[in-house]
Amino acid sequence: MNKKYQFTEILRDAYRNHYAIPSFDFFGIYDAKTMIDVAAEYKTPIIMMSIVFNHFRPKHFLSFIQSYAEDVGVPVFTHIDHARSIELCKEAIDAGFDSVMIDASADPLEENIRKTLEVVEYAHARGVAVEAEMGHIKNGVVTLEGGYADRENYLVQTKDAVELVERTHVDMLAVGIGNQHGFYVEDPHIHFDRLEEVHNALDIPLVMHGGSGLPQEMVQQSIRGGITKVNVATDFATHFSDALRDDMNKTQGHAFYSRSMDPAMAAGKEVVRHWIETCMSAGKA
């Protein structure tokens, strides 16, 4: 089956039936195994997202995910998260990823459209899906007083979103609706009015970045409003890392990180279980 067809069909099923596909940024094989194992336990589709390429290229991450996914009976999709360059998107597409995100949200609308269209044309010709972004997803190190006092400065503009989707035929759209990457520096506030407006204007799966720190009901209300892919990174990474550090500290100076992976993976599994339940995707594989 064409990869893009399979991937987008599952997204469309989630879109129609008001659940979301849990999507996790992973940074190594231990956390990737943790995520996939829980997906198999819950019989849910899962999206494994790669974002860090300091030491490895997309093909290196892909090789482990593909080989391990063969051992489980659930759909495991691969995705490049927040690629800022067209070149990285093309590298990931050529490597065999199921989808890529071209993040040109900081650019003017015309430049965002130009970059997105180039990636879409390259990806769709090779059976790969594409995510774009409209609006600015806030960062956990920035407060409202540091640049987001005007909500129109970060919320997705519906007219612009419609233009981008119509001109690029992108498969899914990440939207800024008050969500924030990293740790929320104040009580989160999702602008459901803007989400409803965009959802009514577009017939396309919408993506929520910055799931970590949002109350479950807030996320589920967003899913009912058109959010179809929920991204999680900080929540998993902090629980996994904290458990790993705590166990290594028990060795009194003779730490060996692989010996502490069991408690780290156990902590990570609890996070993944929470997000599968939040996304209401259990049993949807």
Side-chain angles (χ1 to χ4, degrees):
M1 180 183 289
N2 181 286
K3 289 190 303 177
K4 174 180 175 292
Y5 175 80
Q6 185 184 25
F7 181 77
T8 55
E9 275 302 295
I10 287 180
L11 279 175
R12 281 284 174 181
D13 184 73
Y15 182 74
R16 289 189 298 265
N17 293 292
H18 305 295
Y19 66 94
I21 309 300
S23 308
F24 297 95
D25 280 312
F26 70 97
F27 303 96
I29 61 174
Y30 289 101
D31 45 347
K33 181 182 186 303
T34 300
M35 296 163 183
I36 295 172
D37 284 349
V38 180
E41 173 190 336
Y42 275 75
K43 296 180 173 55
T44 176
I46 188 173
I47 300 172
M48 301 296 297
M49 303 189 299
S50 194
I51 194 171
V52 177
F53 299 112
N54 312 53
H55 308 290
F56 302 98
R57 302 312 306 163
K59 66 179 182 180
H60 300 136
F61 283 100
L62 190 67
S63 61
F64 173 78
I65 297 298
Q66 288 181 329
S67 62
Y68 194 68
E70 292 175 358
D71 296 336
V72 300
V74 297
V76 178
F77 297 106
T78 51
H79 177 78
I80 293 293
D81 195 20
H82 286 293
R84 304 286 182 179
S85 74
I86 293 170
E87 291 71 23
L88 178 57
C89 287
K90 290 181 177 180
E91 181 183 350
I93 291 163
D94 292 340
F97 274 75
D98 297 304
S99 69
V100 296
M101 178 190 186
I102 176 65
D103 183 359
S105 60
D107 294 327
L109 175 61
E110 282 298 323
E111 183 66 1
N112 192 347
I113 290 173
R114 183 193 70 79
K115 290 180 178 179
T116 301
L117 180 59
E118 183 173 344
V119 173
V120 166
E121 289 177 342
Y122 192 87
H124 285 186
R126 292 158 179 81
V128 176
V130 180
E131 175 184 336
E133 182 174 314
M134 289 295 299
H136 300 294
I137 312 299
K138 296 185 289 184
N139 190 299
V141 299
V142 180
T143 65
L144 287 176
E145 291 74 22
Y148 296 112
D150 175 8
R151 81 174 201 158
E152 299 304 319
N153 191 40
Y154 62 88
L155 290 184
V156 57
Q157 302 299 304
T158 304
K159 178 176 177 293
D160 292 347
V162 170
E163 184 173 357
L164 182 141
V165 171
E166 288 181 347
R167 289 173 59 183
T168 66
H169 302 288
V170 73
D171 300 286
M172 47 189 162
L173 187 67
V175 290
I177 51 174
N179 41 322
Q180 177 174 300
H181 287 127
F183 298 101
Y184 282 80
V185 295
E186 57 181 20
D187 290 340
H189 177 60
I190 298 299
H191 294 268
F192 293 106
D193 56 338
R194 186 60 56 90
L195 175 60
E196 180 181 11
E197 186 179 289
V198 174
H199 176 52
N200 289 338
L202 296 173
D203 182 25
I204 185 174
L206 303 177
V207 181
M208 171 176 276
H209 288 246
S212 301
L214 290 177
Q216 185 178 72
E217 176 51 38
M218 190 175 285
V219 177
Q220 291 181 340
Q221 184 176 346
S222 301
I223 293 169
R224 291 189 290 269
I227 293 294
T228 307
K229 173 175 174 278
V230 175
N231 287 16
V232 178
T234 302
D235 197 10
F236 181 93
T238 53
H239 282 81
F240 187 96
S241 300
D242 287 349
L244 179 63
R245 181 192 61 238
D246 291 346
D247 194 74
M248 290 177 69
N249 284 340
K250 296 176 183 177
T251 61
Q252 299 181 354
H254 299 284
F256 190 24
Y257 79 95
S258 66
R259 294 172 183 163
S260 297
M261 280 299 169
D262 283 345
M265 293 170 76
K269 283 184 176 181
E270 289 306 307
V271 175
V272 177
R273 290 184 181 111
H274 165 76
W275 281 103
I276 291 171
E277 292 167 2
T278 297
C279 289
M280 302 174 285
S281 64
K284 301 295 187 181

